Amino acid sequence: MNNSSLLLLSFTVGILVVIQGGINARLGILLNNTLLATSAALVMSASFTLIAVFMTVRELPNIDQLQSIPTYMWFTGGALSFLAVTLFYYIIPRIGISTAVIFGLSGQIIFAAIAGHFGWFGMPLEPITIKKVMGMIVMTLGIILIKY
C-alpha cells in the first residue's frame, strides 16, 4: 500500500473513531452506565477481531515466540484500550463530541511527537523539528479557536 493510501486510511480511521465514540457514548446514556457501553463495544470488537483472525491467520506463533514476549505486553494494551474507551464514552456526553475529540487529538499529536522523537515502544525515530513544533503550536491555537 502506498503512502497516499495509508494517509487516506488514517484519515478514515479518524472519522470512524468519531462515529463509534458518538454511538457508544449514546449507548452509555441509554444504558445509564458507561461501563456497560464499554463492555458492549469491547465484546463486539473482540468478536470481530476473532472472526478476522480466523479468516486470515495461516500460522500461529510458536511457543518460543510467545515466551519471548514481555509479560506486560499481554495486558497493558488492553488495559489502556479499556481506559481510553471508557473515558471517551464518559467524557463525550459531558463536554460534546467535537471538544472531546479535539482535545483527545491534541494529546495524541503532542505525545506522538515526543514518543516518536525518542523512539519509544520500539518505533522508528522521528526527530522533533522546528516545523513539527510550529505545527503543534498552530494546532493548539486552532483548538483554542474552535473551543473558545
Side-chain angles (χ1 to χ4, degrees):
M1 197 174 274
N2 66 34
N3 199 44
S4 297
S5 297
L6 293 173
L7 294 175
L8 180 60
L9 193 58
S10 294
F11 184 82
T12 303
V13 168
I15 293 170
L16 296 175
V17 167
V18 172
I19 294 169
Q20 71 89 22
I23 289 171
N24 289 323
R26 182 73 183 141
L27 178 62
I29 290 169
L30 295 173
L31 292 171
N32 200 29
N33 190 311
T34 303
L35 289 174
L36 287 175
T38 302
S39 296
L42 294 177
V43 165
M44 291 309 300
S45 179
S47 299
F48 287 117
T49 302
L50 286 172
I51 290 168
V53 165
F54 291 136
M55 292 175 58
T56 62
V57 172
R58 301 292 175 235
E59 185 179 333
L60 295 174
N62 63 42
I63 286 292
D64 290 334
Q65 287 173 300
L66 295 175
Q67 289 176 339
S68 72
I69 298 170
T71 304
Y72 76 91
M73 286 191 164
W74 290 105
F75 62 87
T76 305
L80 291 173
S81 292
F82 158 76
L83 186 59
V85 168
T86 302
L87 289 174
F88 201 44
Y89 299 163
Y90 176 80
I91 293 166
I92 288 172
R94 288 160 178 78
I95 65 172
I97 195 162
S98 65
T99 303
V101 170
I102 288 166
F103 277 83
L105 181 59
S106 66
Q108 288 178 15
I109 290 170
I110 292 166
F111 187 77
I114 294 166
H117 179 76
F118 292 106
W120 291 346
F121 317 114
M123 295 294 120
L125 289 174
E126 300 176 279
I128 292 179
T129 62
I130 295 296
K131 189 171 149 181
K132 280 187 184 181
V133 171
M134 294 300 294
M136 287 186 279
I137 290 170
V138 169
M139 182 205 65
T140 302
L141 292 173
I143 289 168
I144 293 168
L145 289 173
I146 290 169
K147 181 59 187 158
Y148 306 102

